[in-house]
Amino acid sequence: MRGFSFNYGDVIASTVSFALCYYAYLRYHRDLTILEKSNAYILHCSVTHSRRLPEPSRHAFTYPLLSFLFSLPELESGKLSLLRGYLFSYGGIFLRIVGIRASGYLYDDRGAETSIRTKLVKTLKRFDVVEAEDLAGVWMMTMPSFLGWEGVNPLTVYFCYKNNTSGLWLTVLEVHNTFSERHVYILETGSNEEPPPNGYDHQWTFPRTFHVSPFNDRLGTYTVAVRAPSHQPPATDVAEPLTTPMSPAVHITLHPPQEKAPEDGLGSTQKAPLKLDAFWKTKRAVPFTTVGLLDAITRHPISLLMTTPRILYHAFILHYRRSLAVWRRPEMLPVVPNWGQFRYRSSPDSNKSRQTKGGGIAWQRPTIMEGLAADVICSFIARRAAELDMVVVLQAGDPSISLRKFGPEADVPHHGRTLTISYLSPRFFTLLLLAPNVPAALTLGGPQANRAGDVFEFIVSDEALFMELSGETASKDPRPTPNSQDSYGKAFPSLLRRLRASSPQAPTGDVSDHFLQPQNSREGVVLLFLLLVCVGTEWLECFLWKMSAPSSSPLTNKKRKRTTSDAGNSSKVTLESSSLPTSQVGPVLVSFPSVQPPRSTPFKCYAQDGEDGKEFARQRTSIAGETEAVEFTGSNDVTEDDGAGSRYLVAVHHPSTGKVTIQSAPLYLITRQVKSLKNNVPTAPSVAERIQARNVLGETFGTKKAQAAIRAHERNKVDVGAMEGVANVLQERITEGTGNLPTQEEAKLAADAARPIPPYNMEAEVPEDIYPLHGIIPEQEWQALDSLLPQLKAASSSFARTKLLPNTRSAWVSQHLTLAYAGPKPKAKTVKLLIYIAAMLYFRAITGGKAVPERNAIVEKMSSIPEIVIDSLLSRFTEKLRGSNKPHTTSYTDTSLITHIFALCLKVDDFATDTTLLASDLKMAVPKVNTLFRSLGAKIEQLTTHELKRLGLPDSAGDTKRAILKTPLTFPKPKGKRKT
């Protein structure tokens, strides 16, 4: 029995062969019906982020992105599953390559609801969208899971349509951050909408209410512009033509809050400088099929896995390389109705009207320690509420947390003694646990000033009842004290006080006054464990916070030795402004760019008329001084606008008092003038003198090469006087020699006649008459094409109809043939033009770049085309070289063939052709294709609004440049030599 031998070369060759076969399979079976409506699309996108502020932290990046556009009803029905659900399916993320599940979107219900559409309707109802039940079709643009990895999905866009309406109704932006929090912005078409920029359909501006990046606070405004999908989700499975490409896009800009409100009351229209700029653009949309998804995964194998690594990578750059500070995460704004609406306190939204609906939909889940702290605090509240005959209500900002009530008959208020505590998150319980006393807890629970928000961590309806609940007031009910007879005695309370005092946050008040004291040893052990973990966690957080801060500049770490006199005053420094009168002259700052005068040189200061009463640094002044040989003068640069330019300050430190006095000082740039040269007026040398002086320097100090050049120039100098008698003879010879040359007009006509383009009519008044049809396709060939029309009409589908043409690989021909048969009565002229274009493209493919095959071989390959057409192509677009009877293609014949194709394409496209797809079919660069279109007299430019309406194209098509043929016909002028 022969042994098995392992060869690495066989493995590599097999892998490469498999990859090539797979690529060839995808290329051959690519979708030819990309202009037909579909229920889902694969979007090849690009995402761009650009940070503009602050200036030292400017940063930008662009990445390719693979996203998907699904019709929600079709997605949830299972019709979009591919390869029996192993390639893609809805309902989970495991045991499939690409997947989507409802728990990853909108509110977090731990997978209880399996329909994204149902969750979307409930979310709209929660935020007071009255007509939520009328939701019909929904496009969902998102990034699904890949290989079981769901990751962070920063933005999901829902394009919502209503029953019995044709336009976009709502745009719902679902935003996720890296802290597992979710938020929605609901943007309604026609409500608070602004004029959109070019290339977009809608735009809104609204306040920012969600914390996304740790490098931004929660202040400012968003401006969001969207380009909606080209059509609503199809209601049936019947293929319908797609007139415009599917290219949804989102543009988001962030503006910081204005420092000063505008005086003219136009605050809603004026925006602060741009801080962040983000684009999500679709470059290419492909129908969601097995082949399309495999092709997308092959092109972007790790795109769906790179969102989180890219976020961490750019966060590292911003923090450590750009030195951008980190904002601590604020708690999410509450969305529970009537949260915190108590006397002396206002709810977050009571003093401003919401321009945009929406809010938080998913909060961070409480940690184990927060859950244990909540049990301890709730147990204490229940015991004290029963003792004080009081009803205590705990109201969370998260609507998924139900209302908690404590006390006797908690459902009915007791003699008005009802205390309501509204809190944002479970952090409230650890805050109460660590607070040294009740006043400190109320202070720590105040506005989140250090987290850029104006929302309280928690709010109580009555502070007196809250103090009584904790035992801080002198009420009839004494504060609960621990059992003095218990075995643990005073050990636990003392240890608990020490733990609270060791918290990183500085305690306020007496630590021993804390209201939460254990009643027995069991409660003491639990409370001790909680405090140990919480305090240790806070210290660890502070340590990591300091360690993660970017290192300071090396200059700041240098220390100087202190003297004895300033050692005592170095800890406190007081800044004060100078109290010098306005008439006081000085101090001043001067700059001597070159010669510096002696220190004993006197200077005088002069002020212009009308400057009295101003601060000295703001006056227009000049200073002047002189020595025996040089005069020095200078003036300060003062602008009219106080906010423009720079101001210089001089600070004087007084070590004895520890004060630093600051005084404004003008800056003077000093110029000098030598007295002995003051009256000398220099004379400019002539050109001949300069040349002579240069030659003398070259002969003396130049290199051998420079000296040889000077001598050669002297030898070649022309004597003009000796040429006077020969000038007339030369002029007569030139006149005789140029007498037979053609004029400029004759040369232009000859050049136009020699162009490798179809016959043209310079006197044409409409584009249709510029290139006559039978000048491109002879009349007999045109009539012979009628035989193919019945076969094309009888074809069952666009794919079968394309197979009848000789060139089945042309995407341009396939798309236009699909559009031609989209209507009930296709135009015979358009179909015949497409047949002839397909024949010319295939003829170029089998004859270009090599010897032309035999006629019989060409006829066999182009069996569907009449032979009279093939003979015409051979006679017009091939040449017989000298000494050979076989036809060959040359660069001239190839160019002529391409220009004939382009002339027919212009006729099909109503004389406005998109050159990008043709360049792909011909495997040519787009600039080269544009050059050939220009040789036909076409202009490469964007369509005007009138032309878009004439061609029936949307406004977004105006962004693409097209080859447009207009009258009168003009050809590009030949490029002349550059003038030197």
Side-chain angles (χ1 to χ4, degrees), residues 71-81 90:
S71 171
L72 273 187
E74 302 296 326
L75 175 66
E76 296 175 354
S77 66
K79 295 181 180 179
L80 301 180
S81 299
Y90 174 78

Side-chain angles (χ1 to χ4, degrees), residues 629 631 673-683:
E631 292 181 354
Q673 174 68 48
V674 180
K675 293 181 178 181
S676 60
L677 302 177
K678 190 173 182 180
N679 298 324
N680 292 344
V681 179
T683 57

